[in-house]
Amino acid sequence: MNIKFTLISLMTTVGLSASAISVTSTSGNLSTVVGENIDATSLEISGEINAADLDFIAKKMTSLSTLDMSNAKIGAYSGAPILLGKTEYNANSLPAYSLAGTSIQSIILPKTLQIIEDGALSSTKITSISIPESVTSIGMGAFTNCDELATITIPSNVTSLGSYAFSGCDKLTSATLYVTYLGESTFEHCVALKSITAPSLLTIGDAAFNNCSALEEFNFANTLRAIGNNAFQNSGLKSIDFTNTSLLESIGAWAFAQCSNLTSAIMNDKITTIGEGAFFDNINLSTFNMPLACTVASEYVLKGNTSIDTTNMLNDNVSRIEKYALMGMNHLTTFTLPGALNYIGDNAFEGWTSLTKLNAENIVSEVPALGNTVWNGIDQSKVELVASQELLNQYPLYDQWCEFKISGVSSVEDIAIETSADVRAYFVGYDLVVEAGQEIAMVSIYDSSARQYGIETNGGNQVTINTSDWNCRLYIVKVILADGNATTIKIARNN
């Protein structure tokens, strides 16, 4: 066996103690060539080592701060249980958790290394690391909780990057990677991370950048197809622009929730799914457009966004607004419901305390079904619900809808003035009284611009309508009698 052994020694009062050593070893013999120099702070290895040698470094060379394996090769191991109790280890692979938790601050990996296994360098003190071009796979949690790691570049040959690979790296400020998939929590809790270069991503996994509070910008690759749950939750993103990501179809639940700096989120119209709470409690978000392909406003999706503009907030194709989806938007005074809407879930509009007008003119086929306490906190008696002519007489028949001040739009042609001696109308204070010589089937009330305010029927010969909540003074009253005859009366209120 040819063993090259060089010592750079440090004299102490106790005796000879090595601070830096350079050795050439054969597989499984590192402990022999290191000998009594286990207190060395720097180790350079040439030749071949295996999992047992790395186990020796981790357990015995606890003072080591610098490890250079650039000229070493990791061979296969088969023998007694080591590390995690395994008896077999592959060549050219840095074994799982082999150097985890050590005090090593600087490490140079073997030039022939192919795989960095799960947790291999987790919780070490490394400040930077160069990953060889030969590496194709980095395992789960490989560098997690490396508190001093500042920068990282992942070679283009790396096709697999495991979950939690860099999570909890508190000082990591930048990363460059060429993988197509980011696994779960890859950079979670990297609170100093400011710059990411990732031009080839197809998928951003769950919580990949969760709690990356310094991450203010992200260039979403035009290859991107999906964003996972919680992917950017609590991040520092200021704006999102998916204009050029025409392949993106899915945004996961809570993906951009609680991003307090986020002011703009521009969607592309190919996105079909925006998950539950995806933009939850983004208090400074003012610009948002629901993609045309997205037909459901998911639970909590825009809850608590007290700065958002209603323009394009929901497209006309949205058929369902799920529970709590729009809760807490207390700054909005008017809102237009989508034409395709057929369901609104529990508490969806809770807390819209400034609302004065709800426009439902585009809904013509059916009155949307409602969950529980949809309008909780809103004084509906002071909110005008503008209904389509097709459904105007339907809204008063349904719980929760009937509590609004219901009005509608009709054409002027429908209310041409016709009078009849059999019908008369007059005001008693704010009460409009309509009387007829026979049973009244329907009464419709319009202002002078042909806006319909309400329909009242009771099957008798007299109808009384309170107009105290209506601002106009000039009214047109259309009365349809039981025999089908109709008359229209113009009348002014004196107060």
Side-chain angles (χ1 to χ4, degrees), residues 222-457:
N222 58 15
T223 55
L224 190 62
R225 297 175 181 271
I227 297 174
N229 300 335
N230 310 91
F232 291 88
Q233 185 173 3
N234 284 315
S235 72
L237 289 180
K238 291 184 175 181
S239 64
I240 298 166
D241 189 347
F242 293 130
T243 304
N244 296 320
T245 57
S246 59
L247 299 176
L248 180 62
E249 296 182 350
S250 172
I251 297 175
W254 315 99
F256 297 96
Q258 298 171 311
C259 295
S260 59
N261 295 328
L262 189 64
T263 61
S264 174
I266 301 174
M267 305 290 105
N268 77 62
D269 285 331
K270 300 294 181 64
I271 297 171
T272 59
T273 303
I274 298 179
E276 175 184 355
F279 293 91
F280 173 90
D281 274 4
N282 291 329
I283 59 175
N284 290 307
L285 181 64
S286 59
T287 301
F288 175 86
N289 62 296
M290 183 68 76
L292 292 177
C294 190
T295 61
V296 176
S298 302
E299 297 176 9
Y300 300 96
V301 65
L302 292 169
K303 181 265 176 189
N305 294 343
T306 54
S307 300
I308 201 164
D309 183 3
T310 59
T311 306
N312 297 323
M313 188 172 83
L314 297 183
N315 70 67
D316 214 39
N317 297 327
V318 171
S319 61
R320 294 179 65 89
I321 300 175
E322 301 292 357
K323 63 182 181 181
Y324 302 100
L326 309 177
M327 178 182 176
M329 297 184 186
N330 55 14
H331 63 298
L332 295 175
T333 58
T334 63
F335 187 73
T336 298
L337 296 172
L341 189 65
N342 56 46
Y343 175 77
I344 304 176
D346 299 354
N347 305 82
F349 286 84
E350 179 175 337
W352 285 46
T353 53
S354 297
L355 188 66
T356 59
K357 181 179 179 181
L358 189 64
N359 188 352
E361 292 181 24
N362 296 331
I363 302 174
V364 296
S365 59
E366 60 179 336
V367 175
L370 299 178
N372 297 316
T373 57
V374 169
W375 319 104
N376 193 30
I378 300 175
D379 186 351
Q380 291 174 252
S381 66
K382 296 180 179 179
V383 178
E384 180 185 7
L385 173 65
V386 182
S388 64
Q389 182 64 27
E390 291 86 348
L391 298 176
L392 182 61
N393 62 349
Q394 296 296 310
Y395 283 98
L397 305 178
Y398 292 93
D399 289 344
Q400 297 186 71
W401 286 116
C402 66
E403 297 172 22
F404 284 106
K405 187 167 60 177
I406 300 170
S407 65
V409 175
S410 180
S411 65
V412 174
E413 290 76 15
D414 288 340
I415 54 173
I417 302 299
E418 302 171 353
T419 59
S420 169
D422 195 42
V423 179
R424 72 189 188 104
Y426 57 92
F427 276 99
V428 178
Y430 285 96
D431 288 336
L432 173 61
V433 180
V434 179
E435 294 179 343
Q438 59 176 289
E439 184 178 336
I440 298 172
M442 182 178 295
V443 176
S444 302
I445 306 169
Y446 307 83
D447 64 14
S448 57
S449 63
R451 180 173 293 276
Q452 191 167 11
Y453 275 84
I455 295 176
E456 295 283 342
T457 60

Side-chain angles (χ1 to χ4, degrees), residues 27-43:
S27 187
N29 288 302
L30 185 64
S31 62
T32 300
V33 297
V34 169
E36 297 179 356
N37 300 298
I38 59 174
D39 291 332
T41 58
S42 176
L43 174 63

